[in-house]
Structures are given as structure tokens and as C-alpha cells.
């Protein structure tokens, strides 16, 4: 089994957490979306959406995060000799879809300093154009991604779109706060795939220094977040790259690479 992912990708974090929690071995391939590695032709041919993660088991390839998590659950069930009761309940699945509906990418971009965001966006557009010139047979798919980049930038200028994104997040966190006043985890007293999907959202808020506004202001959520950070899966998937000084190291490495390639015009 192979997983194409990157620590920056929130959906990649979700899938890796699921794999770690189920103790499933896999081969890891890092594809950095900020440096445009997801637009390299060999990856783009396999996945024209250029989105992460991509999970491959033999000839079976999955691109949708929820589908991958459900597939991982089935693998774990078969490996342990269990039955369908080991799969996610209806309430867990409902939470997974509810959390997945929030556009974390748009929220993240809208809270980045415009100077840095525009610099990376400009770099990625040039990467797409360079790959388009190298692989004219994929020009149509590359052009579609280029159009998406421009549309995202245009939408980020709309204050109403940003406000709706923030309100969507607030509703999710408020609902989670109520649930966590009744149960230890998001759905009941056992860790489930709903928590797997939820943890990276809290991690993203922490990474963006928005913990005080969105997490600490909700006491039950704050307690839950403290507990989640102690899980071995969190330490392996997220903490390894973003806790303490590691955050600066991870971000600085990518930023320097983008800056140098921009100066040298090596796209």
C-alpha cells in the first residue's frame, strides 16, 4: 500500500492518523503542494485533481479522503477478523461528512499574510504553466488547475466569502463543544474516525496561532485538544512536524525552497 501525502495537507493528516490508529503499514511518498510537486507529470497523470492524499493498494487507487478512511477501516476489520460492527456507526459517518464539508483550504489561505499568500500563488501558477509546456498532452487538465488558482484568488478578495467560512467553522466548533460536554470523544466514549477527521482542524488552528480564539474559548474543546495531542498517532503524524521549534523548521524549509526557485526561475 502506498500513500502520496504531505504534512502540510490537512486531508493527508486525516488519512495518516487513520492508518496509525489502525496500525496499518504503508509506503510513504511526500508530495509537497506548496512547492508544486503535485503538478509533476508522473503524479498529475495519476491524479489530475492534483489534490492530496492519494492512496494506492495494488491497482486500486482512491482520491477521496472519506473513501480512503472508510477503506482503511475495512482493511483493519478484515485483518483483525472482525465483523461489520468494527466499522463506523451512522453518527460517526455523519460527523465525518460534516467536518469534511468545511473548506479548510480557503480558511487557511484567507488567514495568511497577503504578501506570502500571493507570492506562493504566483509561484504555483508559474509551476503549472511550466508543466503545461513540458506535457502538452495534459494541457487541458493543467489549464483547469490554472483557472482554479485564479478563481481562488478572486474569491479571497470577497469579504463575504471569508465571513461565511469563519461562521461555518464556528458552527462546527460550537456543536463539538456541546458534544464534548456529554462524551469524552466526538462520538461516545471511544476514539473513532470522527476524531481522526476532527483533530487536524484543531491542529491547523493551533499552527495558525488561532488557538486562543477558536479552541481555548471553548473549555470542553480545549480539554479534548490537550488529550488528543498526547496520542501516539498525533505525535507521529502532526507533532513530529509542527510542535514547538519543528513548526519553524518545517515552514522555513519550504519557504526557502520556493524563494530560491523563484529567484532562479526554476519552476
Amino acid at each position: 500500500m502506498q500513500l502520496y501525502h504531505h504534512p502540510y495537507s490537512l486531508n493527508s493528516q486525516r488519512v495518516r492518523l487513520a492508518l496509525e490508529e489502525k496500525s496499518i503499514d504503508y509506503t510513504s511518498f511526500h508530495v509537497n503542494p506548496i512547492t508544486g510537486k503535485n503538478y509533476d507529470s508522473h503524479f498529475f497523470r495519476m491524479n489530475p485533481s492534483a489534490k492530496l492524499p492519494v492512496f494506492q493498494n495494488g491497482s486500486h487507487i482512491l482520491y477521496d479522503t472519506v473513501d480512503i478512511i472508510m477503506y482503511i477501516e475495512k482493511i483493519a476489520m478484515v485483518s483483525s477478523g472482525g465483523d461489520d460492527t468494527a466499522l463506523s456507526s451512522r453518527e460517526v459517518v455523519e460527523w465525518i461528512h460534516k467536518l469534511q464539508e468545511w473548506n479548510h483550504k480557503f480558511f487557511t489561505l484567507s488567514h495568511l499574510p497577503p504578501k506570502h499568500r500571493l507570492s506562493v500563488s504566483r509561484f504555483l501558477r508559474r509551476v503549472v504553466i511550466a508543466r503545461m509546456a513540458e506535457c502538452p498532452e495534459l494541457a487541458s487538465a493543467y489549464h483547469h488547475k490554472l483557472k482554479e488558482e485564479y478563481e481562488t484568488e478572486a474569491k479571497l478578495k470577497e469579504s463575504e466569502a471569508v465571513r461565511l467560512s469563519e461562521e461555518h467553522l464556528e458552527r462546527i466548533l460550537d456543536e463539538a463543544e456541546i458534544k464534548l460536554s456529554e462524551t469524552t470523544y466526538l462520538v461516545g466514549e471511544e476514539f473513532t474516525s470522527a476524531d481522526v477527521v476532527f483533530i487536524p482542524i484543531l491542529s491547523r488552528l493551533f499552527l495558525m496561532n488561532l488557538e486562543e480564539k477558536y479552541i481555548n474559548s471553548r473549555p470542553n474543546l480545549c480539554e479534548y485538544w490537550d488529550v488528543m495531542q498526547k496520542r501516539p498517532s498525533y505525535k507521529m503524524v502532526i507533532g513530529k512536524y509542527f510542535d514547538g521549534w519543528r513548526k519553524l523548521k518545517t515552514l522555513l524549509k519550504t519557504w526557502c525552497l520556493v524563494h530560491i526557485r523563484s529567484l532562479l526561475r526554476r519552476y
Side-chain angles (χ1 to χ4, degrees), residues 19 37-38 45 55 67 73 137 139 150 194 201 254 257:
L19 288 164
K37 295 301 289 183
N38 52 327
R45 288 180 196 278
F55 185 80
D67 289 345
E73 285 192 355
E137 71 277 14
Y150 281 112
I201 292 178
T254 294
L257 187 58

Side-chain angles (χ1 to χ4, degrees), residues 146-156:
L146 194 61
K147 182 181 178 182
E148 282 185 3
E149 289 289 337
Y150 281 112
E151 288 175 347
T152 298
E153 278 303 320
K155 192 174 181 181
L156 285 166

Side-chain angles (χ1 to χ4, degrees), residues 41-57:
S41 59
H42 68 278
F43 182 79
F44 199 69
R45 288 180 196 278
M46 177 177 65
N47 177 27
S49 74
K51 294 179 180 179
L52 298 173
V54 174
F55 185 80
Q56 183 172 7
N57 186 11

Side-chain angles (χ1 to χ4, degrees), residues 104-131:
H104 61 270
K105 179 180 178 181
F106 183 79
F107 178 88
T108 301
L109 291 173
S110 67
H111 285 76
L112 291 178
K115 177 183 177 181
H116 298 318
R117 188 190 75 234
L118 291 171
S119 177
V120 173
S121 177
R122 184 165 54 249
F123 171 80
L124 288 175
R125 290 197 299 269
R126 289 171 177 169
V127 168
V128 173
I129 292 170
R131 298 294 88 77

